[in-house]
């Protein structure tokens, strides 16, 4: 099962790929700085054995780990079916419903190496995340599909090596991009498409070496990018 050390190793690889430098941040510093607004799993207790579980919401009052829901103690042969008993009235019906009404936590299907997560489907190496589908090496993220090496991101798909990639698709080696598509090596971009090697742009398409919607040459862009990367990775 993936742990915090492995999550840190994934983050280190993402930072190196996106920024071209070693990650100077501890795991806590990274999460506090970049995942502060991401909807993440919340810790609860399994109502049957008191063990720690992870759920998408704490609103339900009774929780049951997926692994515990599949044991023989919860229904005949662990399939959730109980022996039939007569129900004389609505009060007794509601009582029986209350006795088996648990919200399943730590839910995953066809996934490997998952921890502190909920609603994980066909994914691998996922840590402290929600709603991850057909993805690998995802940490501290929510609603990610068909992606790999993603951290502190939300509602995005078909992307690789990204930090704070939100509401975007087909982005690679990016940081802080939102509502965008087909971005490569970009930093702090909003509503952009088919851009590469650009920073701090919005509502642009099909350009390279742009900063704040202005065109620069490669040398000047790379000079300013180094300063931006240092600023981004400075601990708060």
């Amino acid at each position: 099962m993936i742990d915090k050390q492995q999550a840190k190793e994934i983050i280190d690889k993402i930072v190196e790929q996106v920024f071209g430098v070693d990650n100077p941040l501890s795991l806590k510093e990274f999460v506090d700085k970049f995942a502060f607004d991401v909807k993440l799993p919340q810790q609860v207790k399994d109502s049957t054995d008191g063990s720690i579980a992870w759920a998408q919401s704490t609103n339900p009052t009774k929780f049951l780990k997926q692994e515990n829901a599949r044991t023989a103690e919860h229904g005949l042969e662990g399939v959730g079916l109980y022996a039939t008993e007569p129900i004389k009235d609505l009060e007794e019906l509601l009582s029986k419903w209350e006795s088996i009404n648990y919200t399943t936590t730590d839910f995953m299907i066809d996934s490997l190496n998952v921890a502190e997560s909920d609603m994980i489907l066909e994914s691998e190496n996922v840590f402290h995340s929600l709603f991850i589908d057909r993805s690998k090496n995802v940490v501290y993220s929510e609603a990610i599909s068909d992606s790999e090496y993603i951290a502190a991101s939300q509602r995005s798909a078909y992307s690789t090596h990204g930090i704070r990639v939100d509401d975007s698709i087909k982005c690679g080696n990016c940081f802080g991009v939102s509502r965008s598509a087909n971005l490569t090596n970009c930093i702090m971009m909003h509503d952009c498409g088919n851009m590469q090697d650009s920073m701090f742009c919005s509502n642009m398409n099909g350009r390279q070496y742009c900063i704040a919607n202005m065109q620069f040459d490669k040398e000047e862009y790379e000079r300013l990018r180094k300063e931006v990367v240092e600023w981004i990775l400075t601990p708060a």
Side-chain angles (χ1 to χ4, degrees):
M1 183 179 295
I2 190 171
D3 56 21
K4 288 185 176 180
Q5 178 58 41
Q6 290 172 294
K8 176 65 162 54
E9 291 171 1
I10 291 173
I11 288 171
D12 289 346
K13 290 180 181 178
I14 297 172
V15 169
E16 182 179 8
Q17 182 69 27
V18 172
F19 297 118
V21 299
D22 292 337
N23 178 23
L25 303 174
S26 68
L27 185 62
K28 184 179 186 306
E29 287 172 333
F30 182 93
V31 173
D32 290 346
K33 191 175 182 70
F34 299 132
F36 62 91
D37 59 348
V38 179
K39 181 181 179 182
L40 297 174
Q42 300 184 62
Q43 184 174 305
V44 296
K45 285 187 177 181
D46 186 301
S47 299
T48 64
D49 63 11
S51 61
I52 292 176
W54 297 90
Q56 60 173 296
S57 171
T58 58
N59 289 336
T61 58
K62 297 168 63 179
F63 299 93
L64 179 65
K65 285 183 179 179
Q66 183 185 38
E67 61 183 63
N68 287 341
R70 303 297 186 263
T71 62
E73 286 78 11
H74 297 283
L76 302 175
E77 300 179 355
V79 296
L81 179 67
Y82 289 79
T84 301
E85 297 178 353
I87 299 175
K88 64 180 181 180
D89 53 28
L90 178 61
E91 182 178 358
E92 189 168 312
L93 169 60
L94 295 178
S95 176
K96 290 184 181 298
W97 166 238
E98 176 64 21
S99 70
I100 54 90
N101 183 23
Y102 297 97
T103 296
T104 306
T105 66
D106 299 71
F107 186 87
M108 65 176 181
I109 295 178
D110 296 333
S111 298
L112 298 172
N113 207 24
V114 176
E116 296 187 14
S117 300
D118 199 14
M119 296 304 297
I120 311 300
L121 309 177
E122 299 180 37
S123 297
E124 184 176 349
N125 300 336
V126 178
F127 186 80
H128 206 76
S129 298
L130 287 174
F131 304 110
I132 309 302
D133 193 7
R134 299 182 303 276
S135 298
K136 294 182 179 180
N137 303 310
V138 177
V139 296
Y140 299 103
S141 295
E142 184 252 342
I144 302 297
S145 64
D146 302 284
S147 299
E148 189 169 0
Y149 284 104
I150 301 294
S153 298
Q154 306 175 82
R155 302 174 302 276
S156 295
Y158 303 104
S159 297
T160 183
H161 292 101
I163 302 169
R164 291 196 64 79
V165 176
D166 297 342
D167 303 297
S168 298
I169 62 171
K170 298 181 180 178
C171 292
N173 303 340
C174 289
F175 170 83
V177 301
S178 62
R179 298 169 60 96
S180 297
N182 296 302
L183 303 186
T184 303
N185 302 329
C186 288
I187 295 174
M188 305 295 287
M189 307 281 283
H190 179 67
D191 276 314
C192 291
N194 302 303
M195 300 275 293
Q196 58 182 313
D197 302 297
S198 295
M199 306 183 294
F200 300 97
C201 294
S202 65
N203 298 287
M204 286 194 71
N205 186 66
R207 305 292 297 187
Q208 184 178 20
Y209 302 129
C210 287
I211 304 174
N213 289 42
M214 297 181 290
Q215 184 68 61
F216 288 80
D217 61 29
K218 179 180 178 181
E219 289 71 25
E220 181 65 2
Y221 172 82
E222 291 182 344
R223 181 186 71 81
L224 292 170
R225 186 182 186 279
K226 289 180 180 179
E227 294 188 26
V228 170
V229 168
E230 184 177 353
W231 168 66
I232 289 173
L233 294 178
T234 300

